Amino acid sequence: MANVAVIGSQWGDEGKGKIVDWLSEKADVVVRFQGGHNAGHTLVIDGVVHKLSLLPSGIVRPGKLSIIGNGVVIDPYALLTEIEEERKKGVQVTPDNFMIAENAPLILPLHRQQEVAAEEMRGVSKIGTTGRGIGPAYEDKIGRRAIRVCDLEDRETLQKRVEILVSHHNCIRRGIGAAEISAKDTLDELIAIAPKILPFAKPVWRVLDRMRQKGKRILFEGAQGIMLDTDHGTYPYVTSSNTVAGAGFAGTGIGPSAVNYVLGITKAYTTRVGAGPFPTELHDEIGQRLGERGNEFGTVTGRKRRCGWFDSVMVRQSVKLSGIMGIALTKLDVLDGITPLQICVGYDYNGKFYDYLPASMKIQAEIKPIYEEIEGWEHSTRGARSFKDLPAAAIKYIRRIEELIEAPCAIISTSPEREDTISVKDPFTV
């Protein structure tokens, strides 16, 4: 019996939602360990579309325990809205099947306001944030002034925490000429929402430890992608948390020995939302075609995604950074009919060859991709459920990717539907 960590190996939007849903059928527990409601997972189950931002993907499956770990920053208002939307679709969300870590930090309206103001002040140097307050909430967590879920239990404690937090933010607001926040109004809002949030609060680390001792299968669900990691990604065009597999341990309170298999979700081409370097980006008809056929619009923001050729250098780096043991290759069908295909196998920077993505902002912005051409295929792969259903050229493309990224393909997704999946290796069996 193995526990599995699922992470994105590119810049997010790799199709984690479907794969996590597919895996959750075998899992007993699904736990989110980082990010906030800036991440969006789209699931299609029996024709019903579920767009989840905070709720773990396992919530749509009866009999599964879904958990939000302490590494996630939680907007309580967004969470309650999402719960209500899922209940309208017939999904049960109760303290029996859904828990949030009592030590998870909260995102408040003041965090959203600060993030929007900061992004506007950057002008042409915008990072491309979602404006949901994720970054400022993590800043307050590290600054030891965050309000956590457990603070909602006691009015006296909550009042002290609110005063500290609001005092800090008002200093910033005075500096930029923004209206100050009322500590009393903030306190009253939190007191009003506390009874709706607290029933879900639990010592998640303890729950997970007990589940592990019972031999339950745990699925750790990451958000965004490794190249958006605040340490290892294309800084500063990154998210505000660690997105590598190692974050799953700190973000849930469970040790490294708990994870037996790391699965990297990998799109058959490359996309990115927002600003930042993108070596293989296409500005031509093929790039537009990838975006249209792949329906490349952000689940949360609706923003159009930038599209480009598969970057094996970047994915190989992600494999090393997170100890990825196998990948789930998604959206292979989007490449149907495009020939020839290109795969990035290295970078050129002023005549110097790089077989990895350097940390330097300047180099990342100016490197040029070195491509290897590979034959495409004309026949459709959409809906394929076994290798025999795939064109020979598609199989060759998959094998070449495996060689270049130095990791095997464990799962292949050929449409948004859960059943349209080729299983090569069961991550739960190591």
Side-chain angles (χ1 to χ4, degrees):
M1 300 283 282
N3 297 325
V4 178
V6 175
I7 53 175
S9 69
Q10 295 155 308
W11 279 299
D13 308 309
E14 300 96 348
K16 290 183 291 297
K18 172 194 167 173
I19 300 300
V20 171
D21 171 59
W22 187 79
L23 290 170
S24 67
E25 188 171 20
K26 297 182 178 181
D28 300 297
V29 184
V30 181
V31 53
R32 275 277 310 273
F33 60 81
Q34 53 81 212
H37 63 309
N38 54 342
H41 292 170
T42 301
L43 313 178
V44 182
I45 301 174
D46 297 328
V48 179
V49 178
H50 302 266
K51 294 189 176 183
L52 307 178
S53 294
L54 270 173
L55 291 172
S57 299
I59 198 68
V60 299
R61 295 203 164 276
K64 312 296 180 182
L65 175 60
S66 293
I67 295 176
I68 294 180
N70 57 276
V72 178
V73 283
I74 302 173
D75 183 324
Y77 306 98
L79 176 60
L80 292 175
T81 297
E82 192 170 320
I83 289 174
E84 184 58 31
E85 289 176 353
E86 287 306 306
R87 283 173 173 167
K88 290 178 182 178
K89 296 176 181 178
V91 177
Q92 295 295 316
V93 185
T94 72
D96 292 326
N97 72 335
F98 173 61
M99 299 177 183
I100 58 179
E102 60 183 3
N103 54 335
L106 298 178
I107 299 175
L108 305 182
L110 59 86
H111 292 123
R112 297 195 299 271
Q113 295 160 11
Q114 180 182 326
E115 186 165 58
V116 171
E119 189 75 337
E120 289 177 353
M121 291 176 65
R122 292 187 183 103
V124 296
S125 299
K126 284 183 172 63
I127 293 174
T129 69
T130 59
R132 277 153 172 76
I134 310 298
Y138 274 118
E139 288 179 35
D140 284 337
K141 173 184 176 180
I142 300 302
R144 292 165 290 187
R145 54 184 171 266
I147 293 172
R148 304 188 298 172
V149 174
C150 56
D151 295 330
L152 300 176
E153 295 176 332
D154 179 70
R155 183 188 179 102
E156 184 178 350
T157 299
L158 183 59
Q159 182 173 346
K160 291 178 181 178
R161 301 303 303 163
V162 167
E163 289 172 352
I164 291 171
L165 181 65
V166 169
S167 176
H168 170 80
H169 280 268
N170 279 339
C171 285
I172 297 174
R173 285 171 171 256
R174 285 193 291 271
I176 62 176
E180 295 189 22
I181 306 162
S182 165
K184 181 182 182 303
D185 290 347
T186 302
L187 177 63
D188 290 344
E189 291 171 1
L190 287 171
I191 289 174
I193 204 170
K196 301 176 183 179
I197 295 294
L198 287 174
F200 299 108
K202 297 288 188 301
V204 160
W205 65 271
R206 194 177 184 196
V207 172
L208 289 174
D209 180 63
R210 288 177 174 174
M211 288 293 178
R212 187 185 177 197
Q213 290 184 29
K214 292 178 180 179
K216 301 296 184 180
R217 287 177 168 176
I218 305 173
L219 184 61
F220 296 84
E221 179 182 4
Q224 289 100 21
I226 293 173
M227 284 297 126
L228 290 176
D229 185 278
T230 192
D231 286 307
H232 301 289
T234 48
Y235 189 90
Y237 302 99
V238 293
T239 193
S240 299
S241 61
N242 289 110
T243 60
V244 293
F249 311 125
T252 59
I254 201 164
S257 60
V259 173
N260 310 98
Y261 194 93
V262 180
L263 180 69
I265 314 302
T266 307
K267 194 175 288 186
Y269 49 100
T270 310
T271 62
R272 176 165 200 168
V273 172
F278 188 167
T280 66
E281 183 174 10
L282 294 172
H283 300 282
D284 57 10
E285 183 181 332
I286 293 179
Q288 183 176 349
R289 183 176 178 181
L290 291 173
E292 291 173 352
R293 293 185 61 180
N295 192 29
E296 297 297 351
F297 296 91
T299 300
V300 172
T301 64
R303 289 185 295 180
K304 184 178 180 180
R305 297 174 187 144
R306 301 152 64 190
C307 299
W309 294 119
F310 186 83
D311 190 337
S312 71
V313 183
M314 183 178 72
V315 175
R316 182 172 63 243
Q317 192 158 320
S318 293
V319 167
K320 307 304 180 183
L321 287 169
S322 272
I324 291 174
M325 300 170 183
I327 67 166
L329 191 67
T330 66
K331 293 199 170 184
L332 181 68
D333 57 300
V334 175
L335 297 179
D336 292 351
I338 301 176
T339 190
L341 301 170
Q342 307 288 340
I343 299 176
C344 175
V345 295
Y347 306 124
D348 174 74
Y349 177 68
N350 294 334
K352 182 177 180 180
F353 175 79
Y354 282 93
D355 62 354
Y356 70 98
L357 185 63
S360 166
M361 286 179 58
K362 178 177 175 61
I363 296 178
Q364 287 182 358
E366 298 179 8
I367 55 175
K368 305 298 181 184
I370 299 172
Y371 288 118
E372 175 182 298
E373 187 172 287
I374 187 167
E375 179 187 2
W377 54 90
E378 295 296 336
H379 299 293
S380 174
T381 62
R382 188 174 180 85
R385 299 183 183 181
S386 69
F387 264 100
K388 66 180 178 60
D389 298 327
L390 296 177
I395 296 175
K396 183 178 179 181
Y397 182 75
I398 294 168
R399 295 306 183 208
R400 184 56 179 147
I401 284 177
E402 291 177 320
E403 292 173 354
L404 291 168
I405 67 172
E406 299 177 15
C409 192
I411 298 169
I412 302 168
S413 172
T414 57
S415 93
E417 295 295 334
R418 187 175 68 88
E419 293 79 8
D420 294 338
T421 306
I422 301 172
S423 178
V424 182
K425 162 72 178 176
D426 183 356
F428 283 111
T429 305
V430 295

